Amino acid sequence: MQRLGMHVDDIRTDLNEDGPPNAPGQIARAVVLLRSGGVVAFPTETVYGLGADATNDDALRRIFSIKGRPADHPLIVHLAASVQIRDWARDIPSAAYALAERFWPGPLTLILRRRAWVSALVTGGQETIGLRVPAHPVALELLSAFGGGVAAPSANRFGRVSPTSAEHVRQELGDGPDMILEGGACSVGIESTIVSLIDGDPVILRPGGISPVALEQVTGRKVARPGIPQTVRVPGTMASHYAPAAPLRLVGAANLPDIAARLAAKGKRAAIMALSGYRSTTGQTVAMPPEPAAYGYDLYAVIRMLDSGQHDAILVETPPQTEAWLAVNDRLQRASGS
Ligand code: TXA
Ligand code: MG
């Protein structure tokens, strides 16, 4: 297919093809698998998760082995309803209830003090736990039918771009999971906002679909932005976490033509994710959406497509450095390893 200079809308169906809906009985089968220690990949509104019963250490170990993820990285526990947070957390501050009330189901993870019995495989050996009620009908149906907490990291191999369709999960993990539930393309497309409510004012540990200002409006408190040195360890937020195989470089609009030309002169095939009207004459250009939510929706699917072997580099036109672009800029910086 000739993709030079195509708009991302033209390739979206190609990127995020919805698979067939889940056959009747699939949720029931997934619940049986979870209850017997199985690992089930499932859709959420952010990215696909690789889920297991959060009280079953053998099942949790399988998540780490399928992903190739170091054992000290904590897992988010997914719940069907916010009342369940009391089963997992203690000393819950009122801000947590306010945020849950406003944003759940939705792309927000709350870091709270864990109950004593919670497995160290979930908490990464820390005193805290991450909890979230996802806003996806298939996830909610699964969680309600299961009844308990489902621990789930993003369903990608460690260090790779998160999957935003069931097809991406199959590409990433093959037949590692016992089952992959279908749920179409994820409507948010980047991982949840993680907010720590452990000491004092709320702190954003990972930016996402819920903005700092929205968090401040609900809590009535100052919310610390990411980037400030943290006392809480967030292993998955190391610099090069989302790296594609082809080097990804952030480039200002003014420098794009020059850098693209230099790479072309060296015989390197560079793909470009553009925001301005820039179109490469030598390689594939994807015109990214000019609005941050739409950009986030496309981000991982576009990186995945451009990283499938036919390019030596991905040049990304730097988005505006404003708070609206916080989550997108965060993921781009990690993908570029800077
Ligand atoms: O949107 C999402 O959050 C997706 C979907 C599947 O829910 N999940 C996700 O999980 O992104 P994962 O494991 O790929 O990233 C979770 C991040 C990691 O950086 C982990 O270190 C951090 O959350 N985390 C989990 N529990 C934590 C805790 N108790 N304290 C600090 N960070 C925690
Ligand atoms: Mg992840």
Side-chain angles (χ1 to χ4, degrees):
M1 197 204 290
Q2 171 63 276
R3 282 184 170 142
L4 208 64
M6 283 177 83
H7 191 272
V8 73
D9 280 340
D10 304 328
I11 50 176
R12 182 169 289 148
T13 48
D14 197 71
L15 294 171
N16 270 329
E17 197 120 33
D18 284 9
N22 296 300
Q26 291 297 82
I27 297 282
R29 208 188 120 214
V31 168
V32 169
L33 282 168
L34 289 175
R35 294 217 170 108
S36 55
V39 173
V40 174
F42 64 98
T44 81
E45 80 282 28
T46 58
V47 300
Y48 276 67
L50 186 63
D53 177 352
T55 64
N56 181 332
D57 275 0
D58 289 335
L60 294 170
R61 276 189 206 97
R62 278 195 60 210
I63 289 183
F64 288 92
S65 107
I66 292 169
K67 270 187 71 98
R69 175 168 168 146
D72 64 344
H73 284 214
L75 304 174
I76 295 169
V77 174
H78 297 69
L79 304 169
S82 52
V83 291
Q84 291 173 279
I85 64 176
R86 286 183 216 116
D87 300 341
W88 299 85
R90 62 183 170 84
D91 306 333
I92 302 170
S94 57
Y97 291 109
L99 289 171
E101 168 77 16
R102 171 67 185 82
F103 294 115
W104 281 352
L108 177 70
T109 295
L110 299 179
I111 305 294
L112 297 166
R113 286 189 200 289
R114 68 168 169 86
R115 289 214 176 263
W117 60 267
V118 178
S119 168
L121 289 167
V122 166
T123 64
Q126 305 186 81
E127 288 305 307
T128 58
I129 182 167
L131 297 167
R132 161 166 132 80
V133 178
H136 190 292
V138 173
L140 288 172
E141 211 189 321
L142 175 71
L143 292 165
S144 308
F146 177 65
V150 172
S154 50
N156 50 282
R157 279 179 289 123
F158 178 65
R160 299 253 317 152
V161 173
S162 296
T164 52
S165 75
E167 180 51 33
H168 296 167
V169 179
R170 280 187 282 276
Q171 289 165 14
E172 281 288 318
L173 304 176
D175 52 15
D178 298 306
M179 181 180 187
I180 301 174
L181 282 169
E182 180 64 57
C186 300
S187 60
V188 176
I190 54 181
E191 303 84 347
S192 59
T193 302
I194 302 181
V195 179
S196 170
L197 295 166
I198 296 301
D199 319 291
D201 284 336
V203 178
I204 297 178
L205 302 181
R206 179 177 72 183
I210 310 278
S211 73
V213 172
L215 297 170
E216 285 178 339
Q217 276 163 359
V218 171
T219 58
R221 290 160 66 182
K222 180 94 195 111
V223 173
R225 305 324 196 231
I228 298 154
Q230 301 302 337
T231 48
V232 184
R233 216 163 40 83
V234 195
T237 55
M238 63 247 261
S240 68
H241 192 59
Y242 302 92
L248 184 149
R249 278 175 69 184
L250 280 159
V251 179
N255 298 326
L256 260 182
D258 244 28
I259 293 176
R262 250 185 283 154
L263 285 169
K266 285 193 218 154
K268 300 259 189 240
R269 299 157 305 170
I272 290 162
M273 290 163 62
L275 270 170
S276 59
Y278 177 76
R279 295 291 173 273
S280 167
T281 50
T282 53
Q284 180 175 358
T285 303
V286 177
M288 296 299 288
E291 189 274 314
Y295 194 112
Y297 175 86
D298 287 330
L299 178 62
Y300 288 150
V302 170
I303 292 179
R304 191 174 287 276
M305 177 193 75
L306 297 178
D307 193 33
S308 49
Q310 65 282 50
H311 299 107
D312 302 309
I314 302 172
L315 301 182
V316 181
E317 184 180 332
T318 314
Q321 298 300 299
T322 57
E323 197 152 281
W325 288 87
L326 193 65
V328 164
N329 281 322
D330 171 79
R331 301 310 190 275
L332 285 173
Q333 259 144 34
R334 292 181 204 291
S336 73
S338 64

